[in-house]
């Protein structure tokens, strides 16, 4: 399953799907018959295959997070080690997120992709995507809350909802994590025999979910091909040309993170061969890229980290669900770049203090972003508003966001994997498994 040939098949599916989709989109321009066939194949063949894979992954997220996280807290029992792991993880998360935004802001200052943007093109894009931007604005509840009490309740709801099942059906991860931590702590204070039995049950449940992921991964090469085909055959590359400088800077930074920064962190902090490490992560990268969702990728990263990277379940079950929810390096970087890009297009000059504020807001908001496709967009509008950049300007970049979303999800998820490997090394040095 996780053999090297399977990795390459997934990667081949990814490239083939993208090439086929782009080719079909462009061949279909002006040819109605051909376009109808492509749309039919996309809707009736590619979409269902991609969705079956995606749903198998989404399906296991809630029980997996609950069982894995509660189990690891209950088993650790030892609050000192949990605190130590949490502290290392938190520092690594924060450090890499702040570094990512700083890198993004610096690159946007250097390359200023928004400064040469013509006012006509700005108007054209604003008009095409204004409706989408308006929907996002409405969806942002925190922004809409006017009274202090309403704001406090909204923030509390993000962590401690009144009804955990309501939060779970809405796929909200922060309340799920808070509940899993509390459940684990509750199990941890039971008598030894009961604690053991509960841990065994939670372990079995988590392993069963991982087994389902294994079955889903058999579908991965075909499913990844289909998911990418659906996206690229619809949108093609036409918009990309107009926004190529912006897209180029953001994607370039992602490549630097993936191919330079993360391997360097692996070599220095994890002390493992970076090439072999990154190669083992191909299924994670392909799943993140094709699903654009940290949540959907979580089961795959749990499986690969435990089975192929040899990271102990106690560490994986703690760091990866937390990471998928709060650690978003790619999102933080993207938010910083997007704010500066829109500011540049509108001719707004942000001074150093405002840029420092952007950095802080991007890190904070990335923590609250949901790990789903486009999860960062409502929060991005709030960051824009805070620093005086018109939030409706998000319309400028919506057309190419799906592509950037694929990239930032890869960076988000790989940041969690590298952190898990780092925590594993430091913990293993203290207490061999
Ligand atoms: N799609 C991203 C993720 O799931 C979130 C975002 O929109 O930035 O990690």
């Amino acid at each position: 399953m996780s053999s090297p040939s399977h990795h390459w098949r997934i990667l081949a599916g990814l490239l083939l799907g993208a090439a086929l989709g782009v080719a079909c989109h462009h061949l279909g321009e002006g040819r109605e018959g051909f376009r109808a066939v492509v749309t039919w194949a996309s809707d009736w063949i590619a979409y269902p295959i991609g969705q079956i894979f995606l749903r198998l992954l989404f399906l296991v997220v809630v029980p997996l997070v609950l069982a894995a996280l509660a189990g690891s807290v209950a088993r650790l029992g030892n609050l000192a080690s949990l605190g130590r792991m949490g502290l290392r993880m938190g520092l690594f998360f924060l450090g890499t997120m702040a570094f990512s935004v700083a890198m993004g802001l610096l690159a946007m200052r250097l390359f200023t992709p928004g400064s040469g943007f013509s006012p006509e093109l700005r108007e054209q894009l604003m008009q095409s995507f204004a409706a989408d931007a308006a929907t996002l604005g409405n969806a942002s509840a925190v922004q809409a809350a006017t009274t202090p009490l309403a704001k406090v309740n909204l923030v509390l709801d993000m962590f401690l909802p009144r009804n955990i099942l309501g939060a779970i059906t809405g796929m909200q991860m922060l309340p799920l994590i808070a509940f899993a931590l509390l459940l684990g702590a509750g199990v941890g204070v039971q008598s030894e025999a009961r604690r053991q039995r509960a841990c065994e049950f939670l372990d079995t449940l988590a392993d069963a979910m991982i087994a389902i992921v294994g079955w889903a991964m058999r579908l991965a090469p075909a499913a990844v091909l289909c998911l990418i085909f659906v996206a690229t055959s619809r949108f093609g590359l036409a918009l990309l040309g107009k926004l190529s400088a912006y897209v180029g800077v953001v994607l370039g930074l992602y490549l630097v993170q993936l191919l330079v920064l993360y391997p360097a962190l692996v070599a220095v902090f994890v002390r493992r061969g970076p090439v072999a490490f990154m190669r083992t992560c191909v299924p994670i990268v392909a799943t993140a890229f094709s699903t654009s969702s940290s949540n959907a990728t979580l089961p795959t990263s749990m499986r690969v980290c435990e089975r192929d990277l040899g990271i102990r379940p106690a560490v994986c079950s703690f760091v990866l669900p937390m990471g998928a929810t709060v650690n978003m390096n790619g999102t933080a970087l993207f938010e910083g770049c997007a704010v500066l890009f829109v500011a540049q297009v509108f001719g707004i000059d942000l001074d150093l203090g405002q840029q420092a504020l952007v950095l802080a807001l991007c890190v904070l908001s990335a923590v609250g972003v949901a790990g789903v496709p486009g999860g960062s967009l409502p929060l991005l509008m709030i960051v824009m508003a805070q620093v005086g950049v018109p939030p409706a300007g998000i319309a400028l970049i919506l057309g190419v966001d799906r592509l950037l979303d694929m990239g930032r999800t890869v960076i988000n998820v790989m940041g969690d994997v590298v952190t898990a490997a780092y925590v594993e090394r430091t913990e293993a040095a203290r207490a061999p498994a």
Side-chain angles (χ1 to χ4, degrees), residues 254 288 291-297 324 327-328 330-332 334-335 369-378 401 404-406 408-410 412-413:
Y254 287 161
T291 61
S292 291
S293 166
S294 294
N295 290 355
T297 313
N327 182 42
M328 306 242 170
T331 294
F334 151 77
E335 288 188 348
V369 162
V372 296
S376 50
L377 299 176
D401 194 60
L404 297 186
D405 199 2
M406 294 169 166
R408 65 182 178 255
T409 308
V410 170
N412 289 345
V413 175

Side-chain angles (χ1 to χ4, degrees), residues 36-389:
V37 174
V38 172
T39 309
W40 184 90
S42 166
D43 290 352
W44 289 99
I45 301 174
Y47 182 79
I49 296 179
Q51 283 298 312
I52 290 172
F53 173 67
L54 208 59
R55 280 157 195 247
L56 277 174
L57 296 180
F58 267 129
L59 206 65
V60 302
V61 170
V62 170
L64 180 62
V65 170
L66 198 62
L69 202 54
S72 79
V73 173
R75 204 171 321 97
L76 277 169
N78 169 359
L79 282 181
S81 99
L82 192 63
R84 201 176 50 233
M85 239 166 48
L87 186 70
R88 286 217 178 87
M89 177 187 77
L91 288 178
F92 217 78
F93 283 174
L94 271 183
T96 47
M97 276 202 276
F99 182 86
S100 301
V101 191
M103 194 165 87
L105 294 182
L106 196 70
M108 293 302 280
R109 300 293 297 184
L110 277 179
F111 298 108
T112 55
S115 58
F117 225 70
S118 73
E120 297 78 49
L121 183 53
R122 183 174 84 189
E123 271 322 297
Q124 196 188 330
L125 285 171
M126 290 292 285
Q127 273 171 17
S128 322
F129 293 98
D132 293 347
T135 341
L136 283 172
N138 291 341
S140 151
V142 179
Q143 201 181 27
T146 44
T147 66
L149 281 187
K151 280 193 205 294
V152 169
N153 272 327
L154 274 169
V155 174
L156 278 179
D157 278 345
M158 281 166 70
F159 299 92
L160 288 177
R162 277 167 246 247
N163 176 351
I164 186 64
L165 289 182
I168 287 174
T169 47
M171 270 298 240
Q172 295 170 34
M173 297 299 279
L174 276 177
L176 180 63
I177 285 196
F179 180 69
L181 291 175
L182 285 173
L183 178 65
V187 170
V189 297
Q190 303 302 312
S191 70
E192 185 51 26
R194 293 177 84 189
R195 190 174 71 93
Q196 284 289 352
R197 276 204 301 278
C199 285
E200 220 161 89
F201 169 73
L202 291 170
D203 282 352
T204 310
L205 186 59
D207 285 346
M209 295 304 122
I210 300 267
I212 297 179
V213 178
W215 300 328
M217 288 312 284
R218 284 174 208 242
L219 256 185
V224 162
L225 188 157
C226 290
L227 284 169
I228 298 291
F229 177 82
V230 170
T232 48
S233 65
R234 216 165 281 168
F235 304 119
L237 295 176
L239 251 185
L240 218 55
K242 300 192 181 120
L243 290 162
S244 56
Y246 162 70
V247 173
V249 171
V250 180
L251 286 185
L253 291 172
Y254 287 161
L255 282 179
V256 170
Q257 285 210 301
L258 190 66
L259 303 178
V260 182
L261 182 70
Y262 286 160
L265 289 176
V266 169
V268 175
F269 288 98
V270 185
R271 303 201 191 134
R272 285 170 73 157
V275 176
F277 186 97
M278 297 308 276
R279 201 186 298 135
T280 310
C281 293
V282 166
I284 302 176
V285 170
T287 310
F289 193 81
S290 56
T291 61
S292 291
S293 166
S294 294
N295 290 355
T297 313
L298 179 62
T300 310
S301 32
M302 296 273 280
R303 186 182 158 87
V304 172
C305 282
E306 279 185 24
R307 310 254 157 133
D308 305 330
L309 288 174
I311 302 175
R312 281 170 304 169
V315 174
C316 290
S317 325
F318 183 65
V319 177
L320 294 176
M322 293 291 244
T325 311
V326 302
N327 182 42
M328 306 242 170
N329 299 339
T331 294
L333 185 158
F334 151 77
E335 288 188 348
C337 290
V339 172
L340 280 206
F341 176 73
V342 175
Q344 284 167 4
V345 174
F346 281 92
I348 300 166
D349 197 22
L350 298 179
D351 62 29
L352 219 60
Q354 282 169 309
Q355 285 181 47
L357 182 63
V358 171
L359 191 147
L361 288 174
C362 287
V363 171
L364 284 178
S365 63
V367 169
V369 162
V372 296
S376 50
L377 299 176
L379 288 173
L380 173 61
M381 292 178 81
I382 299 177
V383 176
M384 287 177 163
Q386 298 298 317
V387 291
V389 173

